[in-house]
Amino acid sequence: MAQARAQAQTTNENPNISSCEAYFEKIQSRKKLPLSLQESLTAAFARITISSFPQVPGGKVIEILADASIGEAVRVLSESNILSAPVRNPEGGNSMDWRDRYLGIIDYSAIVLWVLESADLAGAALSASSATAAGVGAGAAGALGALALGAAGPAAVAGLTVAAVGAAVAGGVAADKGMGKDAPTAADKLGEDFYKVILQEEPFKSTTVKSIIKSYRWVPFIPVAMDSSMLSVLLLLSKYRLRNVPVIEPGKPSIQNFITQSAVVQGLEGCKGRDWFDCISAHPITELGLPFMSRDEVVSIQGNDLILEAFTRMKDHQIGGLPVVEGPKKKIVGNVSIRDIRFLLLNPELFSKFRHLTVMDFMNTIASATQDTGKVVTPITCKPDSTLGSVIHILASKLVHRIYVIDDSNEVIGVITLRDVISCFIFEPPNFFDNYFGFAAEEMLNK
């Protein structure tokens, strides 16, 4: 008992967990659902084991070795058509302790952010008498120079040279192969030419995943066991802000499943017709306290701001997307997400204008290069009187991570994320964190 009290005290002093507590308390205080319904639903999720959740496509979780190069990581993500994967520590050997075997999760956005931010050394090309002599074409020099002047984050990885980045940009980005008529499709697959180049050029072929994973990890790595409850996963994906939860099984060295926020919301969408789901989803979002974020808390970007500033804000606030607005009243005109960074590496026109590229120019260029502008530019919105069911349907069917709440003047008044939706269906029973997550989870959440 004394140990539990000490642990609870530590939890309250943990700034990351304190933020999670404040978020969840705000939600619970605003939900207008009968307590009996919330208790019954939470108890039901507590009885369902994770083993009942559908497996990842193909039935096997793709892993990336920590000592793999960045180029190899991109190749694996590309060929597997996935955006993130657990990173396995080869030094862990045959250990059955997940803390020895896994270092975290690497995702495509983190890699591209590293590529862009590491280009700060390319500023040397701007002061060179000849950009071409420095190994960088004129267009690439301007683009990378702009990054050098505005990039935020960790210093460039040792060994990165202007010539190497220039060669990678010129060789990988300038190639039109893979763009075709559908840029998002090419971007989803990361681009054959792009990953072939970074497999061959420095610093990509010698920089390892292990060397960047800590600096560019947005969320901790906390696995759960196959016999754990779905409630534990839902809490990790909502209250504790994880985007994905690896599933392990005692006695088996590999990760057995990989549950994401998107997969859970799509699962909820599949529950239509069940009494408990229909009862909650029929409520207007305002009756559930949504949006939890007020209009003053919404992080947005103006259309005439530089696209680099948009990506910097996402990284600084650890969010995956921003509404593009105009005027002091934040009238929504578009949307930009962290995944859109990939277009900078696949579209030579974007890179050639990067130094002066505004958010609106960025969106317009993408819209002109693809037939599917819906996922790229058009903002996904709802009104305050929309039902939770309609919001879930939009998030699940359009495979997006957020929906913007607007008023009759198209002014952004809030944001609803996958995390928010999951939070609507559960609450955390007393001492659940201590009993089911324990010190190891607390330690990881504090990183």
Side-chain angles (χ1 to χ4, degrees):
M1 182 66 70
Q3 182 180 359
R5 285 197 298 268
Q7 183 172 322
Q9 181 178 359
T10 303
T11 298
N12 291 333
E13 293 173 354
N14 183 325
N16 290 340
I17 298 179
S18 295
S19 174
C20 295
E21 294 285 357
Y23 164 82
F24 221 57
E25 287 178 4
K26 181 178 182 179
I27 292 173
Q28 303 309 318
S29 66
R30 296 179 63 170
K31 282 196 293 189
K32 299 177 182 178
L33 293 175
L35 180 60
S36 59
L37 173 61
Q38 297 185 62
E39 290 177 339
S40 298
L41 194 54
T42 297
F45 283 123
R47 290 191 297 269
I48 301 173
T49 61
I50 293 172
S51 59
S52 63
F53 196 85
Q55 290 287 310
V56 295
K60 182 179 179 180
V61 177
I62 303 298
E63 299 179 356
I64 294 176
L65 289 176
D67 57 5
S69 68
I70 299 299
E72 175 66 12
V74 173
R75 184 190 66 78
V76 172
L77 293 174
S78 173
E79 292 181 351
S80 304
N81 197 28
I82 56 177
L83 292 175
S84 62
V87 177
R88 182 158 56 88
N89 182 10
E91 299 176 0
N94 296 322
S95 173
M96 295 300 170
D97 189 332
W98 60 267
R99 285 167 292 190
D100 294 333
R101 290 186 56 84
Y102 295 98
L103 299 180
I105 295 172
I106 190 72
D107 62 60
Y108 177 64
S109 296
I111 292 175
V112 178
L113 279 172
W114 172 77
V115 171
L116 294 179
E117 292 190 1
S118 294
D120 59 1
L121 283 183
L126 295 179
S127 60
S129 58
S130 170
T132 303
V136 186
L144 295 174
L147 288 171
L149 297 176
V157 175
L160 177 61
T161 65
V162 174
V165 175
V169 173
V173 179
D176 287 330
K177 185 178 179 182
M179 288 292 294
K181 297 181 179 180
D182 190 358
T185 298
D188 284 339
K189 296 180 179 179
L190 308 186
E192 180 181 357
D193 292 301
F194 171 62
Y195 79 71
K196 280 185 177 178
V197 168
I198 71 171
L199 280 172
Q200 300 169 1
E201 300 292 341
E202 291 291 355
F204 310 110
K205 69 179 183 181
S206 60
T207 301
T208 64
V209 171
K210 181 179 180 179
S211 67
I212 74 167
I213 190 171
K214 288 187 178 180
S215 297
Y216 290 85
R217 184 178 64 188
W218 286 9
V219 292
F221 178 88
I222 303 178
V224 295
M226 291 283 284
D227 59 356
S228 297
S229 71
M230 275 305 300
L231 178 60
S232 63
V233 171
L234 297 180
L235 284 169
L236 287 172
L237 293 175
S238 57
K239 177 177 180 178
Y240 296 105
R241 205 180 182 183
L242 272 64
R243 291 186 175 90
N244 38 56
V245 177
V247 181
I248 59 177
E249 186 172 356
K252 294 186 178 181
S254 300
I255 292 175
Q256 302 299 302
N257 204 355
F258 201 60
I259 302 178
T260 65
Q261 290 177 329
S262 294
V264 168
V265 171
Q266 289 175 33
L268 289 172
E269 168 72 359
C271 291
K272 281 183 177 179
R274 299 187 179 183
D275 291 343
W276 63 267
F277 178 84
D278 292 346
C279 178
I280 295 179
S281 63
H283 286 268
I285 57 175
T286 51
E287 291 188 9
L288 295 162
L290 294 167
F292 302 136
M293 182 182 294
S294 68
R295 70 175 68 198
D296 294 333
E297 296 173 313
V298 175
V299 181
S300 60
I301 192 80
Q302 293 281 333
N304 57 359
D305 288 332
L306 293 179
I307 188 62
L308 177 61
E309 173 60 24
F311 293 138
T312 299
R313 289 185 190 179
M314 291 182 219
K315 185 174 186 299
D316 289 346
H317 292 274
Q318 295 193 348
I319 54 179
L322 299 174
V324 181
V325 300
E326 64 178 11
K329 292 189 175 182
K330 294 184 176 180
K331 181 178 179 180
I332 192 166
V333 294
N335 171 73
V336 62
S337 79
I338 196 72
R339 294 184 180 185
D340 294 336
I341 295 179
R342 72 189 73 179
F343 288 102
L344 298 177
L345 299 175
L346 293 172
N347 191 320
E349 180 182 355
L350 292 182
F351 244 104
S352 66
K353 299 188 300 182
F354 196 88
R355 190 174 187 179
H356 305 290
L357 187 66
T358 66
V359 172
M360 192 59 67
D361 290 338
F362 176 77
M363 293 194 302
N364 289 338
T365 303
I366 294 175
S368 64
T370 175
Q371 299 173 350
D372 186 8
T373 60
K375 289 185 178 180
V376 181
V377 180
T378 306
I380 307 300
T381 63
C382 68
K383 294 293 185 69
D385 59 356
S386 298
T387 64
L388 178 62
S390 66
V391 168
I392 291 175
H393 176 71
I394 292 172
L395 291 170
S397 61
K398 294 187 177 293
L399 300 178
V400 293
H401 290 186
R402 66 200 56 80
I403 185 170
Y404 301 107
V405 185
I406 59 173
D407 60 16
D408 292 336
S409 301
N410 284 338
E411 179 182 349
V412 179
I413 59 176
V415 182
I416 299 175
T417 65
L418 298 176
R419 179 194 189 194
D420 298 334
V421 168
I422 297 171
S423 298
C424 289
F425 288 87
I426 56 172
F427 73 93
E428 185 174 23
N431 301 318
F432 191 89
F433 184 97
D434 294 340
N435 294 337
Y436 289 90
F437 298 148
F439 176 75
E442 177 191 335
E443 180 183 28
M444 296 300 294
L445 284 167
N446 196 33
K447 291 186 177 181

